[in-house]
Structures are given as C-alpha cells and as structure tokens.
C-alpha cells in the first residue's frame, strides 16, 4: 500500500542540472528538499557535456549521478516518478500528486520549484530524430568542435537558418545551406552567404543518408545526394510547462529576431514565476540555456526560495513572540 509523505520545505520537480543544483543549495541551507524525477533528461541522446568548466566532456548520465550523490550527502531526498498534478498556494502549502506506479501517492511542500525542461520538436525529415544528438545537431557551442573541418549541412526551416549557417562557418569552411522549407532569402542574405563561401541548395530534403551507423549525406527530393558529416537543425523548443500552467503560470512564446523559436515560462532573474511560492529554472524558463547555465539558474532559484522561506520563518516567529507577550 502506498504511503503519504508530507511537509517538505521544497519539492523540486525535475532532476536535471537546474533541479539538482537548486536541491544542493537548499539542502546545504538545511531545508528539507525532495527531488521528483521522471528520468527523461533532454540531453540523453548526447554522449558528452561541453563548456561545463571543470566537467568538460563528462557524460550526461555521470554528471547527474554525481549531482544526486552530492545532494543526498546533505540530506536531500529523491523519488522516481512523474507528477500528475500540483495544486495549492504559498499561504496554505502545495499538494503534489504523483502518477500511478510511484512509491508515494502524494507529497506536500511549502514551496515548489519546477525544472522539467523542454522537448525538442524536430523537423519531420526521415533520419533526423534517429540521429539527433549524434550527427544531427543544433548548438555550435555544444557540438561544433566535434565536427570541425568536416562537411556540415544546415537544414533551413525558417529565416534564422542564415544566421545558423554563418555561425557554423566558424567551425568548418565546408558549410552547405539546404533551403528546404524556409522562405526565400533576400539579396542581402545571399550576399552574406556568398561572402562566407556558404553554398545554398534549393529544394526540399527527403531524408538523411546513413552508412555503417554514420551520417554520410543528405538526399534531396529529386534523389540527389550531397555528402555531409553533420546536419544542423532548428528544433522548436517546447517547454514542459503543463504543471506550471495548472498552477497559473502558463508557458508563452519565445521569440528570436521576430521568429517564434519555442515556448518558456516567464520568471524574474531569480526564477520566481507570477504565482507566489512557485519558481522555475533551466530550459523550462529559458529554452536557450546551456547545461552549466541551467545549473547556475538552479542555484539562484534555490537561494531565492531559501530567502523567501527565511522571511516567512521570521514573520511567524514575530507573530508567536507577540502572542506570548500578550
């Protein structure tokens, strides 16, 4: 029979870098903290984490394992499962109900931190989803070094593709921009591409070519195959914000250069949402954040939550002192 576990200072929903960093901060602040994790990290397809100072090249799973061990060392607790609903308020506390199959049916907390991340919605081209995180890439700072000096193709699905191609030109002098479903570029953009020796190929991409479990080329709708070693895409970064929407802080569109690139939940610089007592950090709040940036955002949110709880502790202590004096 399932048990009910109650009265954590903070429940963190999501066990990625943002959630673990916040949990570490809170546990070191002597707060009771529970991390609920569904075990679906966004960077699971990637083999290594990059630009994380002191942890450069670490495997994503190893980084999470080390983080969990550090949090547990300060008394933080963990629960595997998926949250079905979260309701309540900062004044009365929050009730978090888990989906069927979790070891515990529900927990309560004084504050909530949501670090559920996002989903990369990929272009519907055969082979893209299967190779994503390997040779199908989106972030040059995460993967550019690994494909340096090799033929790189950019799959254009919007006007930002020109900017993408220019960025990836930093890592390779053999960049091809496949116009695919993007609108035609203007004269200035074509001039910029020509000046950087970036080839432009018209026509839609039909599929990716894979040989011996390695990406080898891009097949156009007419059957022509152009060799590449990597393909760059622009996913739609969709926030996993259903729980936050239920609490009253729904995701909104995130734009870049006038184009919607995904969604996010608005927060202040410390991660506070529009709902008192509810914070968000990591990719659910900023879809362009890196792993190390998400960890920093988690630290800030954890510190802000502790400060908020400290203020509440003080208010209660003052009220109790006045009652005793009366």
């Amino acid at each position: 029979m399932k048990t009910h576990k109650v009265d954590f200072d903070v429940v963190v929903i999501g066990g990625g870098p943002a959630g673990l960093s916040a949990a570490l901060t809170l546990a070191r602040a002597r707060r009771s903290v529970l991390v609920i994790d569904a075990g679906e990290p966004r960077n699971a397809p990637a083999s290594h984490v990059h630009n994380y100072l002191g942890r450069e090249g670490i495997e994503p799973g190893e980084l999470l394992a080390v983080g969990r061990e550090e949090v547990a060392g300060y008394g933080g607790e963990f629960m595997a499962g998926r949250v079905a609903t979260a309701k309540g308020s900062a004044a009365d506390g929050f009730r978090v109900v888990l989906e069927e199959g979790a070891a515990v049916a529900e927990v309560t907390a004084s504050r909530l931190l949501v670090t559920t991340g996002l989903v990369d919605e990929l272009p519907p081209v055969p082979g893209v989803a299967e190779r994503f995180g390997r040779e199908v890439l989106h972030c040059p700072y995460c993967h550019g070094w690994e494909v340096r000096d090799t033929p790189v193709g950019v799959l254009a699905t919007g006007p930002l593709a020109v900017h993408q191609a220019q960025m990836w030109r930093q890592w390779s002098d053999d960049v091809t921009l496949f116009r695919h479903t993007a609108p035609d570029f203007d004269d200035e953009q074509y001039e910029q591409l020509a000046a950087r020796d970036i080839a432009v190929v018209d026509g839609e991409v039909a599929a990716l070519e894979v040989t011996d479990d390695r990406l080898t080329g891009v097949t156009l709708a007419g059957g022509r195959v152009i060799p590449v070693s990597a393909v760059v895409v622009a996913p739609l970064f969709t926030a996993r914000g259903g729980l936050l929407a239920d609490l009253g802080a729904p995701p909104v569109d995130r734009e870049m250069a006038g184009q919607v690139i995904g969604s996010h939940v608005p927060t202040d610089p410390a991660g506070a949402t529009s709902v008192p007592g509810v914070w968000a950090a990591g990719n659910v709040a900023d879809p362009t954040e890196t792993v190390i940036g998400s960890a920093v955002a988690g630290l800030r949110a954890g510190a802000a939550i502790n400060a908020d709880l400290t203020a509440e502790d003080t208010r209660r202590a003052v009220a109790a002192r006045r009652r005793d004096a009366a």
Side-chain angles (χ1 to χ4, degrees):
M1 180 178 178
K2 292 181 181 179
T3 59
H4 291 240
K5 202 168 188 178
V6 299
D7 291 337
F8 285 94
D9 290 327
V10 185
V11 166
V12 179
I13 304 173
L20 292 176
S21 181
L24 180 62
T25 303
L26 289 160
R28 282 178 51 82
R30 308 188 74 175
R31 297 293 181 184
S32 59
V33 58
L34 171 70
V35 179
I36 302 175
D37 185 30
E40 297 176 345
R42 177 193 178 195
N43 62 353
S47 57
H48 300 90
V49 173
H50 297 291
N51 293 311
Y52 200 124
L53 186 64
R55 294 285 182 176
E56 169 60 27
I58 191 172
E59 295 181 2
E62 182 183 354
L63 179 64
L64 297 183
V66 170
R68 290 170 67 94
E69 184 178 347
E70 290 173 348
V71 172
Y74 290 101
E77 298 184 42
F78 293 89
M79 183 185 303
R82 191 185 307 276
V83 173
T85 61
K87 299 179 181 180
S89 67
D92 300 321
F94 295 93
R95 177 172 174 261
V96 179
V97 179
L98 283 85
E99 288 186 352
E100 190 68 30
V104 173
E106 66 181 58
V107 297
T108 61
S110 298
R111 301 292 185 270
L112 291 182
L113 172 61
V114 179
T115 59
T116 45
L118 61 79
V119 174
D120 294 286
E121 295 189 21
L122 301 169
V125 174
V128 166
E130 293 80 359
R131 311 303 297 186
F132 188 58
R134 299 176 66 181
E135 304 102 342
V136 175
L137 314 168
H138 78 279
C139 172
Y141 298 105
C142 303
H143 305 288
W145 177 265
E146 282 63 44
V147 297
R148 65 194 185 281
D149 300 327
T150 67
V152 175
V154 178
L155 184 66
T157 52
L160 289 176
V162 173
H163 172 70
Q164 276 188 301
Q166 293 168 350
M167 289 291 292
W168 283 84
R169 181 64 176 77
Q170 176 66 24
W171 284 267
S172 174
D173 60 6
D174 187 355
V175 176
T176 301
L177 180 56
F178 296 93
R179 201 158 66 81
H180 192 49
T181 59
D184 198 8
F185 310 131
D186 60 32
D187 291 343
E188 183 180 3
Q189 289 173 317
Y190 275 116
E191 182 181 26
Q192 292 171 351
L193 293 167
R196 299 300 305 277
D197 294 321
I198 298 171
V200 178
V201 176
D202 290 327
E204 291 196 19
V205 171
L208 303 186
E209 290 291 315
V210 178
T211 304
D212 296 329
D213 198 31
R214 293 292 301 174
L215 178 68
T216 55
V218 167
T219 302
L220 301 176
R224 179 185 173 196
V225 178
I226 297 179
V228 296
S229 297
V231 168
V232 176
V233 297
L236 187 66
F237 303 129
T238 302
R240 291 171 171 163
L243 289 173
L244 287 161
D246 293 342
L247 288 161
V252 299
D253 286 345
R254 174 68 177 267
E255 293 187 0
M256 180 180 291
Q259 181 176 347
V260 175
I261 62 169
S263 60
H264 72 117
V265 174
T267 70
D268 74 3
T273 71
S274 59
V275 179
V278 179
W279 274 257
N283 286 143
V284 72
D286 185 351
T288 63
E289 195 59 272
T290 60
V291 174
I292 193 170
S294 291
V296 171
L299 185 153
R300 288 179 180 147
I305 293 169
N306 181 62
D308 189 48
L309 288 169
T310 298
E312 183 174 283
D313 293 341
T314 302
R315 287 192 297 269
R316 289 177 175 174
V318 169
R321 186 175 187 274
R322 288 173 178 174
R323 285 195 304 269
D324 292 344

